[in-house]
Amino acid sequence: MIYKTFIHDDFVLENDTAHQLYHNYSANKPIIDFHCHLDPKAIAEDYRYDNLGDMWLGGDHYKWRAMRINGINEKFITGEVSDKEKFMKWAETVPYTVSNPLYHWTHLELARCFGIHELLSPKTAEKIYHQTVEMLKSPEFSTKNFIKRMNVEMIGTTDDPADSLEYHQQLINDGFEVKVLPSFRADNVLKTDDVLSFIAYIEKLGKAANISITSYTNLIDALDERHAFFHRMGARISDSGPDRFFYAPYTYKEVSAIFEKLMDGKAISSEEKEKYNTAVMADLARMNHKRGWTQQFHVGALRNNNSRMFNILGADTGFDSIHDSQPSLKMSQFLNLLDSTDQLAQTILYNLNPADNQMLLTMCGNFAGGSSVSKVTYGAAWWFLDQKVGMERHLEDLSALSLLSRFVGMVTDSRSFLSYPRHEYFRRIVCNYVGKEVEKGLIPDDEEILKNVIEGISYNNAKSYFKF
C-alpha cells in the first residue's frame, strides 16, 4: 500500500493483526515514563521554548553524535552559534539518518507534536523552523500543557541525593495533575577515581543531610537520611548506572578504612574499590528494600571515551559506547548477597550489550520469586539498543526466556520533552512483533489473551508494578 505521508496509521505495523492490536489496545493508553532525565525546574516553571532548535538540540547527545558522524563542525552542535543555525545543520543531517531511529523519531515528533508531515531536509528546514516558532508561542506548548497533551500520567526524574527537590515540591504545591516524582541516583558516591572531587561531593552530601561525614557509618547515615527525604517527596524508585556490577567479600572494618583513606585524599587500589563499591551499592539496595522501593541498574556503558572532548564538554555529550560483556558471576553474587538475607527489593536490570540479553534474562529468573510479580525483571531496550532492531531482538529474547506478558514496558530515558512519541514507536513495534507471531500461528488469535498482553506492556504492567 502507498501512503501519502511517511508517518501514517500503519507506520511500522506490517499486517492487519498488528494494526488492530495497536489501535484497539495500545494507542490511547496514558504514558508512565518512570525513568527519564527531564529537568524538573523546566516543568515547575512551565518553561516555554522559543524554537525547535533549542527544544531539539539543547542536550540531545543522540543527535549530536549523528551530526558529528555527518561531519558537522562542533560549533554547530555544542558551540555558541544561534539555535537556528544548529537546527539548519540538524536538518542537513536528517536525510543521512535514513534507516537510523533518529529518522523515525524526528518525523514522529514533527507529526505528533506539531502536526507536520513534511520530511525534514535542507529544502524544508526554513519553512518548518518558522512554522514551529509560531506554534511554540501558543499556550498549548508550555511545558506543562505539552506534557498533558501527550497523555503523560507520570514522570520519573533522575536526581542526586544532595538535591533539594525544591521543584518537585513546587509542583506538589501547584497541584500539577501529572505526577513528577524524584528518583534516587547515588552514583556520585561511587566515583572515587578523582579523590578531590569525591571529597567535595561528600561534603555537599553531608550539608544536604545535616550530617558531618567523617566515617563510613556517617556516609550511610547521610544517604539514608536523604533516602527518607526522597521517600517523603514521593520517590519510590532508585537508579544506578555503574559500568558493571561489583562484588567482593568485605567487612565494615575494611570499608571504613577505605573510606577514611579516600577522605584523607589518597587513591585506593582496584581491590579496595571493589570492596567499597560492593558495600555502598549493597547498603543503598537495603534502603530500597526497607522502604519498599524498586531499584534500577543500568549497566554496560563505556563512558567518556574521548578524553579531549570530555575535558571540553564534560559527561553525557555523545562520547559513550557499548562495554564488553558483563561479568555474570559478580552480578549473581551481588544479587545473592541481598537475597540471602531477604533484603532484595524489586529490581529492574537494563543492559547495553545485546550479547548479554539472554544472560540477564536468565539472571532475573534466579531471583524472581517472592510476593511481587517479576520481582527481578528485565527492563526495556536501553540507549544504543532503543531502536527497532534492538527492540525486536529484546522482545524475542524476553519471549523465549521470560514472560512477555509481564514486561513493564518503555521508558524514554531522555532529556527532551519531545521524546514522548518514542512510546508510540515502542508500542507499534510491540504490536507488530505480536501481530506477526499471531499470523504465523505461534500466538493464538484470541482477543482476551492479546488484549491482556498489549494493554499490559503498554500501560497496565507498569501501573501495577510500581504502585505510585
Side-chain angles (χ1 to χ4, degrees):
M1 184 179 293
I2 298 175
Y3 296 93
K4 293 182 179 179
T5 60
F6 179 58
I7 303 300
H8 50 78
D9 276 356
D10 287 333
F11 179 63
V12 178
L13 306 174
E14 299 176 33
N15 57 55
D16 289 340
T17 302
H19 177 95
Q20 294 299 319
L21 292 177
Y22 176 71
H23 290 286
N24 290 345
Y25 305 128
S26 185
N28 296 319
K29 289 294 183 184
I31 290 172
I32 296 178
D33 196 31
F34 57 87
H35 175 69
C36 71
H37 297 272
L38 292 178
D39 182 1
K41 181 177 185 234
I43 305 173
E45 296 183 349
D46 207 14
Y47 184 77
R48 301 283 292 273
Y49 286 90
D50 295 326
N51 61 78
L52 191 51
D54 180 22
M55 202 171 190
W56 248 350
L57 296 163
D60 191 338
H61 56 79
Y62 289 88
K63 292 184 178 69
W64 295 351
R65 190 178 180 97
M67 292 168 78
R68 291 179 187 126
I69 294 170
N70 196 43
I72 302 298
N73 189 290
E74 189 68 30
K75 73 177 182 179
F76 295 107
I77 302 172
T78 59
E80 297 300 321
V81 303
S82 69
D83 292 335
K84 183 177 179 181
E85 288 174 285
K86 292 178 180 178
F87 174 84
M88 298 303 285
K89 288 297 183 181
W90 170 240
E92 181 182 318
T93 299
V94 166
Y96 293 96
T97 68
V98 165
S99 191
N100 183 285
L102 283 164
Y103 197 81
H104 291 169
W105 294 348
T106 294
H107 292 100
L108 267 174
E109 289 167 17
L110 284 174
R112 299 297 179 248
C113 303
F114 298 98
I116 295 172
H117 287 269
E118 289 182 87
L119 298 179
L120 181 60
S121 71
K123 292 180 181 179
T124 61
E126 187 80 25
K127 177 185 175 182
I128 289 173
Y129 183 82
H130 288 291
Q131 186 177 352
T132 54
V133 163
E134 289 303 309
M135 295 178 75
L136 287 168
K137 294 176 181 177
S138 168
E140 69 177 318
F141 281 93
S142 77
T143 301
K144 287 182 178 178
N145 287 334
F146 181 74
I147 288 169
K148 289 188 287 186
R149 189 155 59 87
M150 290 292 103
N151 198 22
V152 180
E153 182 175 298
M154 180 271 172
I155 295 170
T157 60
T158 303
D159 310 276
D160 187 89
D163 194 287
S164 67
L165 303 187
E166 60 185 294
Y167 298 108
H168 294 85
Q169 185 62 60
Q170 183 177 326
L171 285 162
I172 293 170
N173 295 343
D174 292 346
F176 185 43
E177 302 95 310
V178 179
K179 288 184 178 180
V180 182
L181 303 180
S183 302
F184 195 81
R185 183 156 177 164
D187 286 0
N188 282 323
V189 298
L190 301 174
K191 295 177 180 178
T192 56
D193 290 341
D194 184 336
V195 178
L196 294 181
S197 295
F198 174 79
I199 293 171
Y201 176 74
I202 296 301
E203 291 173 352
K204 179 181 178 182
L205 176 65
K207 288 178 182 177
N210 198 27
I211 293 174
S212 177
I213 303 177
T214 59
S215 68
Y216 182 75
T217 299
N218 295 152
L219 172 64
I220 300 306
D221 287 344
L223 287 168
D224 191 54
E225 171 62 32
R226 299 306 293 169
H227 198 278
F229 169 65
F230 272 56
H231 188 85
R232 294 193 295 273
M233 291 295 294
R236 295 296 182 270
I237 297 178
S238 75
D239 184 44
S240 186
D243 58 347
R244 61 175 176 84
F245 275 88
F246 299 92
Y247 182 79
Y250 65 89
T251 66
Y252 273 92
K253 183 178 180 180
E254 288 177 313
V255 175
S256 296
I258 294 166
F259 182 75
E260 289 174 10
K261 186 175 178 180
L262 285 166
M263 295 303 288
D264 284 339
K266 299 174 183 176
I268 59 176
S269 68
S270 58
E271 180 182 355
E272 289 171 323
K273 182 177 180 179
E274 194 79 18
K275 289 177 182 289
Y276 171 81
N277 286 356
T278 303
V280 172
M281 288 181 64
D283 279 328
L284 287 167
R286 293 183 185 107
M287 294 174 204
N288 295 328
H289 180 267
K290 178 173 64 175
R291 294 191 174 93
W293 287 19
T294 297
Q295 57 194 8
Q296 301 176 107
F297 294 100
H298 288 80
V299 294
L302 186 62
R303 301 176 189 270
N304 307 318
N305 294 269
N306 189 322
S307 59
R308 178 178 59 85
M309 295 305 293
F310 175 76
N311 291 333
I312 296 170
L313 299 174
D316 301 319
T317 51
F319 299 97
D320 310 306
S321 59
I322 294 172
H323 212 319
D324 294 335
S325 291
Q326 284 291 305
S328 55
L329 178 59
K330 287 184 181 292
M331 185 185 302
S332 173
Q333 289 171 317
F334 180 81
L335 294 172
N336 189 61
L337 174 68
L338 299 167
D339 188 75
S340 65
T341 56
D342 198 18
Q343 291 177 295
L344 181 59
Q346 275 193 170
T347 302
I348 303 177
L349 302 180
Y350 304 83
N351 70 289
L352 200 51
N353 191 331
D356 294 329
N357 285 6
Q358 296 185 355
M359 181 274 284
L360 261 82
L361 277 160
T362 56
M363 189 67 69
C364 289
N366 294 333
F367 301 98
S371 57
S372 64
V373 171
S374 300
K375 180 178 179 179
V376 179
T377 194
Y378 192 48
W382 168 51
W383 200 342
F384 293 113
L385 307 185
D386 183 14
Q387 29 81 6
K388 187 173 183 293
V389 173
M391 289 186 201
E392 288 170 344
R393 179 172 177 178
H394 177 276
L395 292 168
E396 289 174 357
D397 290 334
L398 182 61
S399 298
L401 296 172
S402 187
L403 303 180
L404 177 67
S405 302
R406 290 298 191 182
F407 180 26
V408 294
M410 171 69 172
V411 290
T412 61
D413 193 28
S414 174
R415 292 166 173 80
S416 171
F417 287 96
L418 289 177
S419 293
Y420 289 114
R422 294 184 196 176
H423 279 265
E424 175 185 339
Y425 190 53
F426 163 80
R427 292 174 181 184
R428 286 176 177 272
I429 289 168
V430 170
C431 291
N432 191 59
Y433 171 78
V434 174
K436 288 195 293 185
E437 294 296 287
V438 170
E439 299 215 348
K440 291 176 187 174
L442 298 176
I443 294 177
D445 188 6
D446 180 279
E447 183 176 6
E448 183 178 354
I449 290 174
L450 296 175
K451 183 175 186 289
N452 179 63
V453 172
I454 300 302
E455 288 187 346
I457 296 172
S458 300
Y459 173 76
N460 292 343
N461 292 348
K463 182 82 169 179
S464 173
Y465 192 74
F466 294 106
K467 300 180 177 66
F468 291 117

